[in-house]
Structures are given as C-alpha cells and as structure tokens.
mmCIF file of all heavy atoms in Angstrom:
data_model
loop_
_atom_site.group_PDB
_atom_site.id
_atom_site.type_symbol
_atom_site.label_atom_id
_atom_site.label_comp_id
_atom_site.label_asym_id
_atom_site.label_seq_id
_atom_site.Cartn_x
_atom_site.Cartn_y
_atom_site.Cartn_z
ATOM 1 N N MET A 1 86.123 -0.352 -0.658
ATOM 2 C CA MET A 1 85.644 -1.646 -0.267
ATOM 3 C C MET A 1 84.225 -1.793 -0.916
ATOM 4 O O MET A 1 83.269 -1.235 -0.370
ATOM 5 C CB MET A 1 85.687 -1.813 1.292
ATOM 6 C CG MET A 1 85.325 -3.145 1.669
ATOM 7 S SD MET A 1 85.700 -3.496 3.434
ATOM 8 C CE MET A 1 85.366 -5.284 3.467
ATOM 9 N N ASP A 2 84.148 -2.643 -1.803
ATOM 10 C CA ASP A 2 82.851 -2.878 -2.505
ATOM 11 C C ASP A 2 82.301 -1.441 -2.963
ATOM 12 O O ASP A 2 82.865 -0.735 -3.808
ATOM 13 C CB ASP A 2 81.959 -3.765 -1.759
ATOM 14 C CG ASP A 2 82.462 -5.157 -1.496
ATOM 15 O OD1 ASP A 2 83.403 -5.555 -2.082
ATOM 16 O OD2 ASP A 2 81.868 -5.924 -0.720
ATOM 17 N N GLU A 3 81.106 -1.208 -2.438
ATOM 18 C CA GLU A 3 80.358 -0.011 -2.811
ATOM 19 C C GLU A 3 80.851 1.304 -2.179
ATOM 20 O O GLU A 3 80.463 2.437 -2.430
ATOM 21 C CB GLU A 3 78.831 -0.157 -2.512
ATOM 22 C CG GLU A 3 78.412 0.287 -1.220
ATOM 23 C CD GLU A 3 78.916 -0.556 -0.074
ATOM 24 O OE1 GLU A 3 79.553 -1.661 -0.225
ATOM 25 O OE2 GLU A 3 78.827 -0.033 1.050
ATOM 26 N N THR A 4 81.815 1.174 -1.306
ATOM 27 C CA THR A 4 82.344 2.246 -0.448
ATOM 28 C C THR A 4 83.575 2.816 -0.860
ATOM 29 O O THR A 4 84.547 1.976 -1.368
ATOM 30 C CB THR A 4 82.465 1.806 0.971
ATOM 31 O OG1 THR A 4 81.028 1.411 1.501
ATOM 32 C CG2 THR A 4 82.935 2.799 1.886
ATOM 33 N N LEU A 5 83.825 4.034 -0.844
ATOM 34 C CA LEU A 5 85.096 4.646 -1.118
ATOM 35 C C LEU A 5 85.460 5.679 0.080
ATOM 36 O O LEU A 5 84.554 6.483 0.259
ATOM 37 C CB LEU A 5 85.169 5.330 -2.434
ATOM 38 C CG LEU A 5 86.581 5.971 -2.704
ATOM 39 C CD1 LEU A 5 87.635 4.862 -2.949
ATOM 40 C CD2 LEU A 5 86.410 6.708 -4.106
ATOM 41 N N ALA A 6 86.530 5.505 0.706
ATOM 42 C CA ALA A 6 86.878 6.409 1.759
ATOM 43 C C ALA A 6 88.198 7.138 1.346
ATOM 44 O O ALA A 6 89.006 6.489 0.702
ATOM 45 C CB ALA A 6 87.120 5.722 3.097
ATOM 46 N N ARG A 7 88.463 8.368 1.867
ATOM 47 C CA ARG A 7 89.590 9.074 1.646
ATOM 48 C C ARG A 7 90.243 9.533 2.954
ATOM 49 O O ARG A 7 89.548 10.057 3.917
ATOM 50 C CB ARG A 7 89.371 10.345 0.784
ATOM 51 C CG ARG A 7 90.711 11.261 0.661
ATOM 52 C CD ARG A 7 90.591 12.243 -0.440
ATOM 53 N NE ARG A 7 89.407 12.993 -0.158
ATOM 54 C CZ ARG A 7 88.631 13.663 -1.196
ATOM 55 N NH1 ARG A 7 88.982 13.576 -2.340
ATOM 56 N NH2 ARG A 7 87.484 14.377 -0.848
ATOM 57 N N VAL A 8 91.477 9.197 3.206
ATOM 58 C CA VAL A 8 92.199 9.568 4.454
ATOM 59 C C VAL A 8 93.464 10.371 4.107
ATOM 60 O O VAL A 8 94.306 9.837 3.291
ATOM 61 C CB VAL A 8 92.633 8.352 5.297
ATOM 62 C CG1 VAL A 8 93.331 8.812 6.517
ATOM 63 C CG2 VAL A 8 91.324 7.568 5.652
ATOM 64 N N VAL A 9 93.672 11.545 4.718
ATOM 65 C CA VAL A 9 94.862 12.347 4.302
ATOM 66 C C VAL A 9 95.413 12.779 5.710
ATOM 67 O O VAL A 9 94.589 13.283 6.637
ATOM 68 C CB VAL A 9 94.429 13.611 3.438
ATOM 69 C CG1 VAL A 9 95.711 14.360 3.206
ATOM 70 C CG2 VAL A 9 93.901 13.170 2.183
ATOM 71 N N LEU A 10 96.591 12.723 5.894
ATOM 72 C CA LEU A 10 97.207 13.052 7.150
ATOM 73 C C LEU A 10 98.548 13.676 7.094
ATOM 74 O O LEU A 10 99.352 13.577 6.194
ATOM 75 C CB LEU A 10 97.231 11.878 8.184
ATOM 76 C CG LEU A 10 98.111 10.593 7.751
ATOM 77 C CD1 LEU A 10 99.481 10.871 8.279
ATOM 78 C CD2 LEU A 10 97.503 9.326 8.391
ATOM 79 N N ASP A 11 98.985 14.415 8.099
ATOM 80 C CA ASP A 11 100.202 15.162 8.385
ATOM 81 C C ASP A 11 100.679 14.729 9.811
ATOM 82 O O ASP A 11 99.938 15.037 10.699
ATOM 83 C CB ASP A 11 100.026 16.539 8.126
ATOM 84 C CG ASP A 11 101.235 17.300 8.411
ATOM 85 O OD1 ASP A 11 102.370 16.785 8.575
ATOM 86 O OD2 ASP A 11 101.136 18.616 8.398
ATOM 87 N N ILE A 12 101.905 14.148 9.960
ATOM 88 C CA ILE A 12 102.461 13.917 11.214
ATOM 89 C C ILE A 12 103.051 15.192 11.651
ATOM 90 O O ILE A 12 104.230 15.472 11.661
ATOM 91 C CB ILE A 12 103.389 12.811 11.264
ATOM 92 C CG1 ILE A 12 102.712 11.533 10.712
ATOM 93 C CG2 ILE A 12 103.945 12.559 12.647
ATOM 94 C CD1 ILE A 12 103.864 10.396 10.559
ATOM 95 N N SER A 13 102.153 16.203 11.944
ATOM 96 C CA SER A 13 102.534 17.708 12.141
ATOM 97 C C SER A 13 103.002 17.966 13.729
ATOM 98 O O SER A 13 103.513 18.965 13.828
ATOM 99 C CB SER A 13 101.388 18.452 11.781
ATOM 100 O OG SER A 13 100.367 18.235 12.696
ATOM 101 N N GLY A 14 102.532 17.118 14.564
ATOM 102 C CA GLY A 14 102.657 17.423 15.973
ATOM 103 C C GLY A 14 101.563 18.337 16.349
ATOM 104 O O GLY A 14 101.613 18.688 17.567
ATOM 105 N N ARG A 15 100.596 18.628 15.497
ATOM 106 C CA ARG A 15 99.478 19.527 15.894
ATOM 107 C C ARG A 15 98.170 18.775 15.685
ATOM 108 O O ARG A 15 97.773 18.590 14.535
ATOM 109 C CB ARG A 15 99.439 20.763 15.024
ATOM 110 C CG ARG A 15 100.652 21.657 15.225
ATOM 111 C CD ARG A 15 100.543 22.969 14.423
ATOM 112 N NE ARG A 15 100.282 22.759 13.028
ATOM 113 C CZ ARG A 15 101.288 22.443 12.103
ATOM 114 N NH1 ARG A 15 102.545 22.280 12.411
ATOM 115 N NH2 ARG A 15 100.957 22.234 10.797
ATOM 116 N N PRO A 16 97.677 18.151 16.711
ATOM 117 C CA PRO A 16 96.506 17.282 16.595
ATOM 118 C C PRO A 16 95.254 17.966 16.137
ATOM 119 O O PRO A 16 94.883 19.044 16.657
ATOM 120 C CB PRO A 16 96.335 16.785 18.042
ATOM 121 C CG PRO A 16 97.546 17.030 18.867
ATOM 122 C CD PRO A 16 98.118 18.163 18.198
ATOM 123 N N TYR A 17 94.528 17.417 15.138
ATOM 124 C CA TYR A 17 93.319 17.880 14.648
ATOM 125 C C TYR A 17 92.697 16.850 13.795
ATOM 126 O O TYR A 17 93.308 16.145 12.918
ATOM 127 C CB TYR A 17 93.699 19.187 13.653
ATOM 128 C CG TYR A 17 92.439 20.066 13.513
ATOM 129 C CD1 TYR A 17 92.223 21.096 14.485
ATOM 130 C CD2 TYR A 17 91.524 19.761 12.536
ATOM 131 C CE1 TYR A 17 91.157 22.000 14.279
ATOM 132 C CE2 TYR A 17 90.409 20.575 12.427
ATOM 133 C CZ TYR A 17 90.197 21.711 13.235
ATOM 134 O OH TYR A 17 89.091 22.384 13.070
ATOM 135 N N LEU A 18 91.423 16.754 13.995
ATOM 136 C CA LEU A 18 90.630 15.780 13.299
ATOM 137 C C LEU A 18 89.545 16.382 12.567
ATOM 138 O O LEU A 18 88.706 17.186 13.139
ATOM 139 C CB LEU A 18 90.063 14.650 14.164
ATOM 140 C CG LEU A 18 89.147 13.618 13.580
ATOM 141 C CD1 LEU A 18 89.895 12.782 12.564
ATOM 142 C CD2 LEU A 18 88.430 12.794 14.593
ATOM 143 N N VAL A 19 89.423 16.151 11.263
ATOM 144 C CA VAL A 19 88.191 16.498 10.473
ATOM 145 C C VAL A 19 87.611 15.182 10.129
ATOM 146 O O VAL A 19 88.232 14.286 9.440
ATOM 147 C CB VAL A 19 88.541 17.282 9.147
ATOM 148 C CG1 VAL A 19 87.274 17.475 8.438
ATOM 149 C CG2 VAL A 19 89.279 18.697 9.583
ATOM 150 N N TRP A 20 86.410 14.911 10.522
ATOM 151 C CA TRP A 20 85.628 13.693 10.392
ATOM 152 C C TRP A 20 84.406 13.812 9.556
ATOM 153 O O TRP A 20 83.434 14.499 10.010
ATOM 154 C CB TRP A 20 85.381 13.184 11.762
ATOM 155 C CG TRP A 20 84.539 11.776 11.788
ATOM 156 C CD1 TRP A 20 83.271 11.576 12.005
ATOM 157 C CD2 TRP A 20 85.192 10.540 11.711
ATOM 158 N NE1 TRP A 20 82.992 10.217 11.970
ATOM 159 C CE2 TRP A 20 84.119 9.651 11.888
ATOM 160 C CE3 TRP A 20 86.546 10.083 11.459
ATOM 161 C CZ2 TRP A 20 84.399 8.163 11.709
ATOM 162 C CZ3 TRP A 20 86.731 8.730 11.425
ATOM 163 C CH2 TRP A 20 85.654 7.843 11.589
ATOM 164 N N LYS A 21 84.332 13.254 8.313
ATOM 165 C CA LYS A 21 83.172 13.420 7.452
ATOM 166 C C LYS A 21 82.704 11.945 7.095
ATOM 167 O O LYS A 21 82.746 11.556 5.969
ATOM 168 C CB LYS A 21 83.377 14.288 6.307
ATOM 169 C CG LYS A 21 83.797 15.714 6.722
ATOM 170 C CD LYS A 21 83.692 16.674 5.552
ATOM 171 C CE LYS A 21 84.004 18.087 6.049
ATOM 172 N NZ LYS A 21 83.911 19.048 4.907
ATOM 173 N N VAL A 22 82.205 11.194 8.054
ATOM 174 C CA VAL A 22 81.860 9.870 7.919
ATOM 175 C C VAL A 22 80.537 9.756 8.651
ATOM 176 O O VAL A 22 80.353 10.272 9.741
ATOM 177 C CB VAL A 22 82.811 8.965 8.531
ATOM 178 C CG1 VAL A 22 82.428 7.403 8.380
ATOM 179 C CG2 VAL A 22 84.275 9.129 7.960
ATOM 180 N N ARG A 23 79.577 8.966 8.004
ATOM 181 C CA ARG A 23 78.252 8.804 8.642
ATOM 182 C C ARG A 23 77.897 7.361 8.645
ATOM 183 O O ARG A 23 77.836 6.642 7.717
ATOM 184 C CB ARG A 23 77.210 9.577 7.794
ATOM 185 C CG ARG A 23 75.789 9.454 8.233
ATOM 186 C CD ARG A 23 75.019 10.457 7.462
ATOM 187 N NE ARG A 23 73.440 10.104 7.749
ATOM 188 C CZ ARG A 23 72.725 9.377 6.980
ATOM 189 N NH1 ARG A 23 73.227 8.662 5.964
ATOM 190 N NH2 ARG A 23 71.457 9.118 7.284
ATOM 191 N N PHE A 24 77.598 6.908 9.811
ATOM 192 C CA PHE A 24 76.995 5.552 10.097
ATOM 193 C C PHE A 24 75.501 5.620 10.303
ATOM 194 O O PHE A 24 74.941 6.520 10.827
ATOM 195 C CB PHE A 24 77.725 4.877 11.292
ATOM 196 C CG PHE A 24 79.204 4.584 11.150
ATOM 197 C CD1 PHE A 24 80.072 5.492 11.664
ATOM 198 C CD2 PHE A 24 79.681 3.596 10.267
ATOM 199 C CE1 PHE A 24 81.450 5.295 11.375
ATOM 200 C CE2 PHE A 24 81.059 3.390 10.140
ATOM 201 C CZ PHE A 24 81.959 4.253 10.662
ATOM 202 N N THR A 25 74.869 4.547 9.811
ATOM 203 C CA THR A 25 73.370 4.457 9.884
ATOM 204 C C THR A 25 72.787 3.444 10.791
ATOM 205 O O THR A 25 71.717 3.198 10.845
ATOM 206 C CB THR A 25 72.835 4.328 8.488
ATOM 207 O OG1 THR A 25 73.291 3.121 7.926
ATOM 208 C CG2 THR A 25 73.183 5.532 7.508
ATOM 209 N N GLN A 26 73.786 2.740 11.487
ATOM 210 C CA GLN A 26 73.311 1.774 12.556
ATOM 211 C C GLN A 26 74.188 2.067 13.833
ATOM 212 O O GLN A 26 75.191 2.703 13.825
ATOM 213 C CB GLN A 26 73.579 0.360 12.103
ATOM 214 C CG GLN A 26 74.901 -0.070 11.663
ATOM 215 C CD GLN A 26 74.934 -1.330 10.966
ATOM 216 O OE1 GLN A 26 74.381 -1.532 9.982
ATOM 217 N NE2 GLN A 26 75.686 -2.371 11.503
ATOM 218 N N GLU A 27 73.682 1.678 14.952
ATOM 219 C CA GLU A 27 74.293 1.996 16.156
ATOM 220 C C GLU A 27 75.398 1.099 16.601
ATOM 221 O O GLU A 27 76.337 1.555 17.428
ATOM 222 C CB GLU A 27 73.194 1.868 17.314
ATOM 223 C CG GLU A 27 72.085 2.975 17.217
ATOM 224 C CD GLU A 27 71.092 2.815 18.386
ATOM 225 O OE1 GLU A 27 71.232 1.999 19.298
ATOM 226 O OE2 GLU A 27 70.184 3.575 18.341
ATOM 227 N N LYS A 28 75.570 -0.051 16.041
ATOM 228 C CA LYS A 28 76.637 -0.989 16.378
ATOM 229 C C LYS A 28 77.200 -1.886 15.218
ATOM 230 O O LYS A 28 76.404 -1.956 14.196
ATOM 231 C CB LYS A 28 76.097 -2.106 17.376
ATOM 232 C CG LYS A 28 75.773 -1.522 18.805
ATOM 233 C CD LYS A 28 75.391 -2.605 19.745
ATOM 234 C CE LYS A 28 75.103 -2.077 21.165
ATOM 235 N NZ LYS A 28 76.255 -1.567 21.820
ATOM 236 N N LEU A 29 78.415 -2.005 15.210
ATOM 237 C CA LEU A 29 79.112 -2.997 14.362
ATOM 238 C C LEU A 29 79.576 -4.068 15.229
ATOM 239 O O LEU A 29 80.517 -3.844 16.176
ATOM 240 C CB LEU A 29 80.270 -2.376 13.561
ATOM 241 C CG LEU A 29 79.844 -1.364 12.439
ATOM 242 C CD1 LEU A 29 80.941 -0.580 12.008
ATOM 243 C CD2 LEU A 29 79.132 -2.226 11.274
ATOM 244 N N GLY A 30 78.953 -5.344 15.116
ATOM 245 C CA GLY A 30 79.196 -6.381 16.071
ATOM 246 C C GLY A 30 78.767 -5.858 17.449
ATOM 247 O O GLY A 30 77.586 -5.274 17.539
ATOM 248 N N GLU A 31 79.551 -5.786 18.476
ATOM 249 C CA GLU A 31 79.138 -5.154 19.785
ATOM 250 C C GLU A 31 79.773 -3.762 19.967
ATOM 251 O O GLU A 31 79.415 -3.195 20.995
ATOM 252 C CB GLU A 31 79.559 -6.069 20.968
ATOM 253 C CG GLU A 31 81.048 -6.123 21.188
ATOM 254 C CD GLU A 31 81.940 -7.046 20.304
ATOM 255 O OE1 GLU A 31 81.423 -7.379 19.306
ATOM 256 O OE2 GLU A 31 83.031 -7.445 20.840
ATOM 257 N N TRP A 32 80.438 -3.246 18.948
ATOM 258 C CA TRP A 32 81.026 -1.973 19.051
ATOM 259 C C TRP A 32 80.153 -0.887 18.686
ATOM 260 O O TRP A 32 79.536 -0.773 17.652
ATOM 261 C CB TRP A 32 82.292 -1.902 18.128
ATOM 262 C CG TRP A 32 83.348 -0.758 18.507
ATOM 263 C CD1 TRP A 32 83.432 -0.214 19.752
ATOM 264 C CD2 TRP A 32 84.262 -0.164 17.427
ATOM 265 N NE1 TRP A 32 84.472 0.701 19.575
ATOM 266 C CE2 TRP A 32 84.937 0.767 18.417
ATOM 267 C CE3 TRP A 32 84.557 -0.477 16.214
ATOM 268 C CZ2 TRP A 32 85.954 1.408 17.779
ATOM 269 C CZ3 TRP A 32 85.594 0.291 15.694
ATOM 270 C CH2 TRP A 32 86.310 1.234 16.473
ATOM 271 N N ASP A 33 79.939 0.223 19.616
ATOM 272 C CA ASP A 33 79.122 1.352 19.289
ATOM 273 C C ASP A 33 79.739 2.233 18.164
ATOM 274 O O ASP A 33 80.853 2.630 18.371
ATOM 275 C CB ASP A 33 78.877 2.114 20.490
ATOM 276 C CG ASP A 33 78.218 1.397 21.638
ATOM 277 O OD1 ASP A 33 77.364 0.551 21.372
ATOM 278 O OD2 ASP A 33 78.576 1.738 22.867
ATOM 279 N N THR A 34 79.017 2.466 17.062
ATOM 280 C CA THR A 34 79.601 3.154 16.039
ATOM 281 C C THR A 34 79.903 4.649 16.388
ATOM 282 O O THR A 34 80.828 5.401 15.795
ATOM 283 C CB THR A 34 78.647 3.098 14.796
ATOM 284 O OG1 THR A 34 77.360 3.515 15.168
ATOM 285 C CG2 THR A 34 78.642 1.731 14.124
ATOM 286 N N GLU A 35 79.233 5.224 17.384
ATOM 287 C CA GLU A 35 79.591 6.598 17.746
ATOM 288 C C GLU A 35 81.030 6.712 18.391
ATOM 289 O O GLU A 35 81.578 7.725 18.362
ATOM 290 C CB GLU A 35 78.574 7.105 18.787
ATOM 291 C CG GLU A 35 78.745 6.523 20.203
ATOM 292 C CD GLU A 35 77.761 7.213 21.250
ATOM 293 O OE1 GLU A 35 77.028 8.132 20.864
ATOM 294 O OE2 GLU A 35 77.937 6.943 22.402
ATOM 295 N N LEU A 36 81.611 5.488 18.597
ATOM 296 C CA LEU A 36 82.922 5.538 19.316
ATOM 297 C C LEU A 36 84.013 5.506 18.211
ATOM 298 O O LEU A 36 85.145 5.706 18.527
ATOM 299 C CB LEU A 36 83.026 4.230 20.171
ATOM 300 C CG LEU A 36 82.258 4.355 21.489
ATOM 301 C CD1 LEU A 36 82.419 2.994 22.285
ATOM 302 C CD2 LEU A 36 82.480 5.497 22.373
ATOM 303 N N ILE A 37 83.623 5.309 17.049
ATOM 304 C CA ILE A 37 84.681 5.259 15.997
ATOM 305 C C ILE A 37 85.325 6.587 15.723
ATOM 306 O O ILE A 37 86.599 6.657 15.734
ATOM 307 C CB ILE A 37 84.062 4.673 14.653
ATOM 308 C CG1 ILE A 37 83.575 3.296 14.921
ATOM 309 C CG2 ILE A 37 84.998 4.603 13.534
ATOM 310 C CD1 ILE A 37 82.715 2.590 13.789
ATOM 311 N N GLU A 38 84.576 7.604 15.614
ATOM 312 C CA GLU A 38 85.139 9.007 15.537
ATOM 313 C C GLU A 38 85.984 9.268 16.779
ATOM 314 O O GLU A 38 87.090 9.958 16.558
ATOM 315 C CB GLU A 38 84.041 9.976 15.312
ATOM 316 C CG GLU A 38 84.536 11.399 15.293
ATOM 317 C CD GLU A 38 83.406 12.391 15.208
ATOM 318 O OE1 GLU A 38 82.237 12.050 15.128
ATOM 319 O OE2 GLU A 38 83.770 13.675 15.169
ATOM 320 N N HIS A 39 85.544 8.822 17.900
ATOM 321 C CA HIS A 39 86.239 9.094 19.120
ATOM 322 C C HIS A 39 87.709 8.433 19.005
ATOM 323 O O HIS A 39 88.679 8.886 19.555
ATOM 324 C CB HIS A 39 85.421 8.750 20.329
ATOM 325 C CG HIS A 39 86.029 9.355 21.610
ATOM 326 N ND1 HIS A 39 86.306 10.542 21.886
ATOM 327 C CD2 HIS A 39 86.425 8.588 22.706
ATOM 328 C CE1 HIS A 39 86.800 10.743 22.976
ATOM 329 N NE2 HIS A 39 86.826 9.553 23.608
#
C-alpha cells in the first residue's frame, strides 16, 4: 500500500500461534488504539 509492504503467512493448523513484527508510531488510527491491533 503505497510506501508500505506487509507479508502475512498462515497455516490453518489448529495450533494457535502469532508472530507479530509490526510497529506503529502513533497511538490511534481514527479512534482505534493501535496497541489493540496486535491483540
């Protein structure tokens, strides 16, 4: 998306696991707290 490039890889494994390597530099997008996106 414009200057940004993200990569998402997943396996519907039945074994939940998240590896998150994303960094936000502001606290909100609209009214949504960016710390909640990973959650």
Side-chain angles (χ1 to χ4, degrees):
M1 188 166 186
D2 295 352
E3 86 299 341
T4 295
L5 183 63
R7 174 169 54 208
V8 180
V9 183
L10 62 86
D11 175 11
I12 304 176
S13 62
R15 297 185 307 277
Y17 200 93
L18 174 66
V19 175
W20 180 260
K21 297 191 175 182
V22 179
R23 180 173 168 270
F24 294 102
T25 58
Q26 63 190 56
E27 292 184 359
K28 290 183 180 290
L29 285 167
E31 72 277 23
W32 197 26
D33 298 329
T34 52
E35 73 170 8
L36 294 175
I37 298 169
E38 178 182 0
H39 192 54

